[in-house]
Amino acid sequence: MSSKFSNYNFKGLKALVRVDFNVPLDAEFNITDDTRMSATIPTIKKILTDGGSVILMSHFGRPKEGPTDKYSLKHLVKHLEFLLNENEQSSTPVFFANDCIGEQAFHFANALKAGEVLLLENLRFYKEEEKGDESFAEKLSKLGEVYVNDAFGTAHRAHASTAVIAKYFTADKKIFGLLMEGEVISAEKVLHHSEKPFVAIIGGAKVSDKILIIENLLERATDIIIGGGMAYTFLKASGGQIGNSLCEDDRMQTALDILEKAKQKNVQIHLPQDSIIADKFAADAATQVMESNSIPSGWMGLDIGPKAVEVFSDVIQRSKTILWNGPMGVFEMEKFQNGTKSVALAVAAATAKGAFSLVGGGDSVAAVNQFKLADRVSYVSTGGGAMLEYFEGKVLPGIAAIK
Ligand code: AMP
């Protein structure tokens, strides 16, 4: 699929770009992880290189009562200048407007010249942003001539700047940025154009968070691997003894329904045959390997065991499409990270053999980063909640508004 954004010519245009600059800061306002900012730099640079100018808008944190110093985007200006100018001959100035609408913002936007960047103050200083207020969206829309949405992380929200605003631009004047385009293309490839076998690897703590995604994947995947804490609800529902492992008793019937539906649809569900069990939820717990359906009382499964690693790795390695959301165990503790690491390695190996792999959801992304495997999978999604909702089969307002 060719990139519509790459083919768009921004020469002489003021582009109003919705980004997700919701980065974590320490007490001295230093950015502790700039992934979200650096991910959108190629979009900004492309517009500037074409001879356009860029007006950036973003939310930042959850300010409750209007403007708050702690949640001001002014703390990001210096770092944005650094990211835009590193390894560049010419220097791009970044201006800052201490409001996202109002006179100053309009004045700065009007005066902006080709090659310049303006960062607007936090959109969430206005309650209208999250309410999807039309008149607020219209005011924002007046700042630019083309609307670019590069904020996949908020694509599942129908907010003023992520969705409502799009209606104030004609079809040829609204477009996804490179980051958003990459996310949408990857997600569509997995959901609508998957090469078979297609394995979905679903892990993490709770079944309740993942029911909708599993149900939607039952329509598309050939195999579903279920690991992490959520596997024990399935194991108990199937008659296993799971000791003190995580379990959502009120979801046992749902788990049985999913297993039954999978049978009807000929989808193979793979639960971990064995587990690494621990006598407490702690890094220094005593551990042993045990069949996942015979865990003694007082012990809990905190990772998948060696047999499960072998089976899961085999399934992954013979797949052509891989979707991974959620860790296989408590990978934050060294004793319980082998399952997640082995799955990450199997995904990387399958990718090297030509499979398309998409990793998404906060903890699985953290895991591939921790094991330094991010560049050995096909795509790492930046949008946790948005990605989950997309794979649940929901229409994301931020995507629908532009399509
Ligand atoms: P989620 O946010 O639902 O994807 O869950 C991620 C969290 O699940 C991580 O913090 C893991 O430590 C945790 N987790 C994974 N496996 C287990 C398990 N077997 N028991 C308890 N917690 C787990």
Side-chain angles (χ1 to χ4, degrees):
M1 195 166 156
S2 80
S3 165
K4 202 173 163 193
F5 181 82
S6 302
N7 293 328
Y8 201 94
N9 188 354
F10 289 90
K11 189 173 168 49
L13 290 172
K14 285 190 167 79
L16 180 60
V17 187
R18 177 50 158 105
V19 290
D20 177 359
F21 278 2
N22 192 22
V23 292
L25 297 185
D26 66 14
E28 274 82 47
F29 301 113
N30 299 307
I31 298 163
T32 53
D33 178 353
D34 74 350
T35 311
R36 287 183 172 143
M37 287 177 79
S38 55
T40 202
I41 295 296
T43 297
I44 301 172
K45 281 194 175 174
K46 144 79 179 162
I47 299 168
L48 298 175
T49 308
D50 276 2
S53 54
V54 174
I55 300 155
L56 296 169
M57 52 179 179
S58 179
H59 71 290
F60 187 43
R62 295 185 173 275
K64 289 211 175 72
E65 293 304 327
T68 325
D69 187 67
K70 185 178 163 195
Y71 295 117
S72 171
L73 280 165
K74 71 180 181 196
H75 303 302
L76 274 54
V77 171
K78 261 205 185 133
H79 192 66
L80 177 59
E81 265 180 341
F82 166 78
L83 290 173
L84 286 170
N85 291 313
E86 70 177 335
N87 309 320
E88 293 289 338
Q89 307 285 341
S90 58
S91 132
T92 301
V94 176
F95 299 99
F96 181 71
N98 50 34
D99 196 352
C100 60
I101 51 171
E103 240 174 67
Q104 194 202 48
F106 284 93
H107 176 68
F108 279 15
N110 266 335
L112 206 63
K113 295 203 264 315
E116 294 179 342
V117 174
L118 169 66
L119 175 63
L120 302 174
E121 184 54 289
N122 194 348
L123 293 159
R124 288 199 186 158
F125 285 171
Y126 288 87
K127 291 219 165 18
E128 288 85 343
E129 162 64 357
E130 289 183 78
K131 284 188 184 144
D133 184 86
E134 298 209 346
S135 109
F136 177 69
E138 190 176 8
K139 281 181 197 155
L140 288 171
S141 75
K142 300 272 191 264
L143 294 169
E145 296 156 301
V146 191
Y147 169 65
V148 179
N149 189 348
D150 213 23
F152 184 68
T154 47
H156 55 319
R157 311 271 184 226
H159 293 172
S161 69
T162 59
V164 182
I165 192 171
K167 73 169 156 198
Y168 301 104
F169 293 86
T170 52
D172 59 331
K173 291 280 159 47
K174 49 187 165 190
I175 189 166
F176 295 137
L178 278 177
L179 174 65
M180 184 87 157
E181 201 174 56
E183 294 276 1
V184 173
I185 290 172
S186 307
E188 284 190 346
K189 190 165 175 169
V190 168
L191 210 51
H192 300 297
H193 311 287
S194 60
E195 221 185 304
K196 306 282 183 309
F198 168 14
V199 63
I201 311 160
I202 308 293
K206 286 181 164 178
V207 181
S208 45
D209 292 343
K210 309 279 164 89
I211 290 169
L212 294 176
I213 190 172
I214 294 177
E215 282 186 342
N216 194 32
L217 289 167
L218 281 173
E219 307 294 329
R220 298 166 202 280
T222 41
D223 298 85
I224 300 180
I225 287 175
I226 297 178
M230 59 186 281
Y232 298 98
T233 301
F234 284 85
L235 289 157
K236 185 172 172 187
S238 311
Q241 283 176 29
I242 60 163
N244 293 34
S245 305
L246 220 53
C247 183
E248 287 172 274
D249 286 326
D250 58 339
R251 299 294 173 170
M252 292 214 296
Q253 188 53 48
T254 311
L256 289 176
D257 293 345
I258 287 173
L259 294 175
E260 181 53 37
K261 219 185 260 177
K263 235 185 247 161
Q264 286 164 13
K265 297 200 174 285
N266 217 5
V267 177
Q268 301 296 317
I269 299 248
H270 306 272
L271 289 163
Q273 196 188 326
D274 57 352
S275 293
I276 308 292
I277 61 169
D279 62 350
K280 58 181 175 183
F281 188 89
D284 63 349
T287 62
Q288 52 180 315
V289 176
M290 185 69 63
E291 294 297 296
S292 299
N293 58 11
S294 327
I295 300 176
S297 164
W299 290 74
M300 59 189 87
L302 294 186
D303 194 8
I304 58 173
K307 283 187 209 155
V309 163
E310 203 182 318
V311 174
F312 289 6
S313 299
D314 278 353
V315 173
I316 293 165
Q317 298 235 30
R318 62 170 164 76
S319 295
K320 287 272 171 251
T321 305
I322 302 163
L323 171 68
W324 182 16
N325 179 298
M328 295 292 101
V330 185
F331 75 104
E332 299 92 333
M333 298 180 197
E334 213 185 331
K335 278 190 179 176
F336 312 111
Q337 66 176 215
N338 182 57
T340 304
K341 188 174 185 178
S342 303
V343 160
L345 284 167
V347 174
T351 310
K353 286 191 289 184
F356 183 81
S357 54
L358 193 162
V359 182
D363 280 312
S364 13
V365 173
V368 291
N369 285 331
Q370 185 179 323
F371 305 131
K372 307 219 176 327
L373 292 167
D375 56 358
R376 288 172 57 193
V377 299
S378 309
Y379 197 81
V380 178
S381 174
T382 55
M387 187 225 171
L388 200 60
E389 288 198 20
Y390 184 90
F391 283 102
E392 286 172 354
K394 292 186 184 143
V395 173
L396 305 193
I399 293 180
I402 284 186
K403 283 202 150 173

